[in-house]
Amino acid sequence: MSRPESAGARFRQALKDNQPLQVVGTINAYTAIMAERIGHQAIYLSGAGVANASYGLPDLGMTSLENVLEDVRRITAASSLPLLVDIDTGWGGAFNIARTVKEMIRAGAAAVHIEDQVAQKRCGHRPNKEIVSKEEMVDRIKAAVDARTDDDFFIMARTDSFAQEGLEAAIDRAQACIEAGADGIFAEAVTELEHYRAFKDALNVPILANITEFGKTKLYNKQELGESGADMVLYPLSAFRAMNKAAENVYSSILANGDQQAVVDTMQTRAELYDYLNYHEFEDKLDALFKK
Ligand SMILES: C[C@](O)(C(=O)O)[C@H](CC(=O)O)C(=O)O
Ligand SMILES: [Mg+2]
């Protein structure tokens, strides 16, 4: 697999090639391989996903930079798709944020989003979020942009301010972040298509729509989102939620029935599993190398 360009450059190219660019959450290396094979152009590592899946924790700012990096490294080693990473609030002050950005680039990430919630953050679609001042958020962006070791690395500012302060204030914050060097804006938990249009009309950078299930935003189609000015559409946890439900059914069925007959049809087969992993190529190599 040749990678002539940096991950950031590949993300920017994917953004140019796809209007809007769908960015699908991949909770681990294997699902990243699946997303790539299926034809997606960009993938996402969710902060909630790392907390929930890798650590069994809620999405309340309890995971560390190193926790997230570990999953970034696993995914970027397995897939050549550009990876957008949720870095929550950046894990500290200016120097911590700088370190976060440098380490993300080193780990092969293409892009990050950093948000304006307080460190004790919540999911963007939950009530009672608290945000830092516009000035503090601008400082976060400045620190992130200044730390970049690859000019193509894509730094997105996420604002959670719509819920408390409304559309105008959210756009005003986004504008300040762009002036500080942000490459894109993540308009968190807005509710109407017109809101994306308003962000797009006021700002001259790509806009991300977070279409997460069971949240505040309806499950708009990518076409209507594109027509409303969204440049990226994020599905952060869609496959993860489906995987969890499938696992729940399997565990329940095994317990209730004493075998897995009732759920075998819901499973990926061994052949399908191996196909994504190029298993047989590895096995052939082994045979060729060590044939008796
Ligand atoms: C995008 C998000 O930040 C994430 O961590 O995946 C979450 C998603 C979710 O909880 O549905 C968020 O929107 O805050
Ligand atoms: Mg998150």
Side-chain angles (χ1 to χ4, degrees), residues 4-260:
E5 290 175 314
S6 72
R10 283 182 280 124
F11 185 79
R12 287 172 193 267
Q13 190 60 48
L15 202 45
K16 272 196 201 127
D17 294 343
N18 299 274
Q19 265 309 322
L21 175 65
Q22 292 180 295
V23 187
V24 289
T26 50
I27 203 72
N28 56 29
Y30 185 75
T31 52
I33 291 172
M34 289 180 74
E36 180 163 10
R37 183 83 69 86
I38 284 164
H40 280 284
Q41 301 292 307
I43 51 176
Y44 179 67
L45 182 60
S46 153
V50 174
N52 303 167
S54 295
Y55 295 92
L57 290 170
D59 182 22
L60 292 167
M62 296 157 78
T63 43
S64 68
L65 167 60
E66 197 50 46
N67 292 161
V68 176
L69 277 173
E70 188 64 42
D71 283 348
V72 171
R73 289 187 200 107
R74 288 175 176 173
I75 291 171
T76 58
S79 167
S80 63
L81 288 181
L83 176 70
L84 167 64
V85 182
D86 179 354
I87 60 167
D88 288 345
T89 61
W91 294 289
F95 292 134
N96 305 84
I97 291 169
R99 210 178 141 240
T100 296
V101 166
K102 289 185 198 303
E103 290 298 323
M104 285 291 156
I105 294 172
R106 209 192 305 277
V112 290
H113 66 74
I114 181 166
E115 70 206 34
D116 58 0
Q117 289 200 51
V118 296
Q120 202 65 68
K121 60 145 296 159
R122 299 177 185 222
C123 160
H125 291 254
R126 298 292 304 156
N128 304 322
K129 292 187 289 184
E130 246 183 273
I131 51 176
V132 298
S133 68
K134 178 166 94 179
E135 292 67 30
E136 191 170 338
M137 179 55 179
V138 163
D139 285 348
R140 285 181 186 173
I141 298 298
K142 281 187 191 163
V145 170
D146 179 69
R148 210 165 19 197
T149 50
D150 168 13
D151 287 345
D152 284 326
F153 187 70
F154 194 93
I155 295 174
M156 205 182 312
R158 159 170 154 176
T159 184
D160 281 71
S161 59
F162 174 79
Q164 289 98 320
E165 301 190 338
L167 186 61
E168 237 171 89
I171 290 175
D172 181 57
R173 266 178 186 251
Q175 185 63 57
C177 290
I178 293 165
E179 278 159 26
D183 298 302
I185 294 296
F186 180 147
E188 176 64 316
V190 300
T191 52
E192 308 301 324
L193 287 171
E194 300 85 77
H195 296 152
Y196 297 113
R197 170 54 55 205
F199 271 90
K200 182 68 178 179
D201 287 350
L203 309 170
N204 60 354
V205 298
I207 306 297
L208 180 140
N210 178 17
I211 307 301
T212 189
E213 301 82 7
F214 317 110
K216 297 214 178 301
T217 311
K218 289 191 206 91
L219 305 184
Y220 296 116
N221 184 269
K222 79 162 186 180
Q223 190 176 337
E224 54 190 340
L225 286 162
E227 285 162 6
S228 303
D231 301 276
M232 295 165 270
V233 184
L234 181 65
Y235 310 87
L237 295 162
S238 309
F240 175 59
R241 296 188 210 286
M243 290 157 71
N244 291 345
K245 200 68 188 175
E248 187 178 60
N249 286 336
V250 167
Y251 293 137
S252 305
S253 184
I254 288 173
L255 189 64
N257 302 322
D259 64 48
Q260 61 272 66

Side-chain angles (χ1 to χ4, degrees), residues 267-282:
M267 294 182 189
Q268 185 189 46
T269 64
R270 180 182 297 271
E272 289 163 344
L273 174 75
Y274 284 6
D275 185 43
Y276 280 108
L277 298 168
N278 292 324
Y279 178 92
H280 295 291
E281 264 177 48
F282 283 89

